[in-house]
Amino acid sequence: MVDDGDEQHSGPPDSRMLRVSDAERRHVVGVLEKAVGQGLLTLEEFSARTDRALSAQTRGELNSVLIDLPDIRHRELVGTEQPLVLSTGAGTVRQHGRWTVPRTIKAECGMGTISIDFTTAVCPHSEVSLHATVGAGTVTVIVPRGWTVVLVEAISRSGSVVNKATDPPDPTMPVLRVYGRSGMGTVRIRHPRGRGR
């Protein structure tokens, strides 16, 4: 954590002014397609909003094309989702299968096991942050080949924080930024077993 001592910048930035990625723009266009299918938008409205979405530079601009759509609004606004929290003391937690990846994931493990598998997950974001904290247990993270894994933080007392997902990255696929902290346990990031993607 960096503290520059400047109290003027101590508050969080206005999320509406944060820049958006191509993946987020494509995600919103997909939401607009669903709205047409539900009869919420005409084809003319869809075309106009798609143009606005694809040219949006900030979250405020991007979210403005969804703001008046009932139901969809609360599920799909970019940057408003809650982080996924996976926590266990001495048990087992598994996040596998087809699931939608949020922008931020927190994995907190005492003596148990947490397994997070992104292999068949749907990730609408270009970047995802994972904060993994382990006591004496294990957090295993499985990422598809092509994903970029950036080990931002690796802090360990007598355990380990290991990134084995080192295949060549595909620039069109997501970046996973990992902040790993271990007491006596293990945080391990790897690709799926076998040669397939």
Side-chain angles (χ1 to χ4, degrees), residues 11-194:
D14 185 345
S15 63
R16 294 172 299 178
M17 300 305 296
L18 295 178
R19 312 262 313 173
V20 292
S21 65
D22 286 340
E24 291 167 327
R25 295 184 188 98
R26 290 193 297 269
H27 172 65
V28 169
V29 171
V31 175
L32 293 174
E33 290 173 349
K34 294 178 186 176
V36 172
Q38 295 173 17
L40 296 171
L41 293 176
T42 66
L43 290 177
E44 186 175 316
E45 289 171 324
F46 168 74
S47 179
R49 294 191 189 207
T50 296
D51 289 343
R52 284 168 52 197
L54 293 176
S55 63
Q57 297 298 313
T58 66
R59 285 185 184 168
E61 293 172 353
L62 189 56
N63 286 336
S64 70
V65 305
L66 302 177
I67 203 71
D68 62 342
L69 298 176
D71 299 328
I72 288 179
R73 173 187 174 189
H74 298 292
R75 295 196 308 269
E76 305 290 356
L77 288 186
V78 174
T80 61
E81 66 196 6
Q82 295 296 313
L84 171 63
V85 178
L86 305 172
S87 179
T88 183
T92 299
V93 174
R94 290 165 53 91
Q95 181 69 51
H96 286 205
R98 189 170 178 82
W99 55 288
T100 300
V101 180
R103 193 180 301 275
T104 303
I105 301 171
K106 297 180 180 180
E108 302 169 350
C109 180
M111 298 176 61
T113 301
I114 295 177
S115 178
I116 307 169
D117 190 345
F118 293 95
T119 306
T120 57
V122 177
C123 185
H125 310 297
S126 59
E127 291 196 6
V128 176
S129 294
L130 169 63
H131 300 261
T133 304
V134 179
T138 301
V139 172
T140 300
V141 182
I142 304 168
V143 298
R145 298 178 191 279
W147 279 42
T148 301
V149 176
V150 179
L151 197 54
V152 180
E153 182 177 87
I155 299 175
S156 176
R157 293 180 182 174
S158 57
S160 61
V161 179
V162 181
N163 175 26
K164 294 188 176 182
T166 56
D167 277 15
D170 180 339
T172 67
M173 298 184 76
V175 175
L176 179 65
R177 300 189 180 277
V178 180
Y179 301 78
R181 291 173 174 262
S182 170
M184 296 184 295
T186 301
V187 177
R188 180 185 299 108
I189 306 105
R190 64 172 177 83
H191 291 305
R193 304 294 188 197

